[in-house]
Amino acid sequence: HMGGKDLDDNVDAAKYLVTLGVDPKKIGLYGGSYGGFITLMAMFTQPDVFAAGAALRPVTDWAHYNHQYTANILNVPQSYPDAYRRSSPIYFAKGLKGQLLICHGMVDTNVHFQDTVRLVQKLIELRKENWELAVYPVENHGFVEPTSWADEYKRILALFERALK
């Protein structure tokens, strides 16, 4: 499954930082696309390791992603539903403890915006309050507008200033 050993690398890095004297309550992470997926998995399945995370254009459910890419790793959801479930952050959203920022372009043709919409609905249903969403109406998967990039990173910085300082 995805979000297992690859997530372990991030968890191990956080644990290593603690051995160097970093306050374990002050560690965050962020990433885009697959990195956004890893950020969600970290925030949902390792809630005591990461205090804050920014998930940029994240895959939230691999069953809704590009079939050709995903099938090479997980096969097909009809044949391997457990692999897809174990690999999809939406099924672990209940574990969210830290502060989460989600950023997504509405015209994303790679990771479709509806993935984020489904996750947001799940967070609402779970009555989670420690998350926020930034929507970019004119952006595809790779942002091109300088104002969008500036806004996104301003929000990430604000999240980390608020949650990790």
Side-chain angles (χ1 to χ4, degrees):
H1 79 288
M2 298 189 310
K5 297 233 180 265
D6 44 356
L7 175 57
D8 290 346
D9 290 342
N10 290 276
V11 172
D12 289 345
K15 289 178 180 175
Y16 178 71
L17 289 173
V18 172
T19 69
L20 299 177
V22 173
D23 183 346
K25 294 181 179 134
K26 302 293 181 184
I27 298 174
L29 76 165
Y30 82 97
S33 196
Y34 195 87
F37 152 73
I38 285 292
T39 298
L40 291 178
M41 288 297 274
M43 296 300 293
F44 297 166
T45 68
Q46 300 290 329
D48 296 321
V49 177
F50 301 99
L56 320 176
R57 48 207 168 275
V59 173
T60 67
D61 187 344
W62 289 104
H64 292 250
Y65 187 64
N66 178 307
H67 171 71
Q68 210 166 11
Y69 172 87
T70 311
N72 285 332
I73 301 166
L74 301 175
N75 281 305
V76 294
Q78 297 83 358
S79 300
Y80 295 90
D82 290 342
Y84 277 80
R85 187 174 180 83
R86 288 178 59 206
S87 301
S88 297
I90 196 164
Y91 297 108
F92 302 98
K94 181 177 165 183
L96 179 63
K97 288 184 184 175
Q99 298 295 310
L100 175 63
L101 168 65
I102 305 165
C103 299
H104 208 139
M106 289 184 73
V107 291
D108 192 330
T109 56
N110 184 3
V111 179
H112 297 148
F113 183 68
Q114 71 185 27
D115 250 28
T116 287
V117 172
R118 288 181 63 237
L119 178 60
V120 163
Q121 181 59 35
K122 182 71 158 181
L123 293 169
I124 291 167
E125 290 169 4
L126 291 168
R127 292 182 161 80
K128 297 291 183 178
E129 297 178 359
N130 48 333
W131 61 275
E132 57 187 303
L133 172 65
V135 174
Y136 299 88
V138 301
E139 294 295 356
N140 198 334
H141 195 63
F143 285 14
V144 295
E145 294 295 324
T147 52
S148 298
W149 279 108
D151 183 82
E152 181 177 59
Y153 280 88
K154 178 189 73 166
R155 290 173 188 275
I156 295 166
L157 177 61
L159 168 72
F160 288 165
E161 291 277 338
R162 183 175 65 248
L164 304 178
K165 264 194 161 179

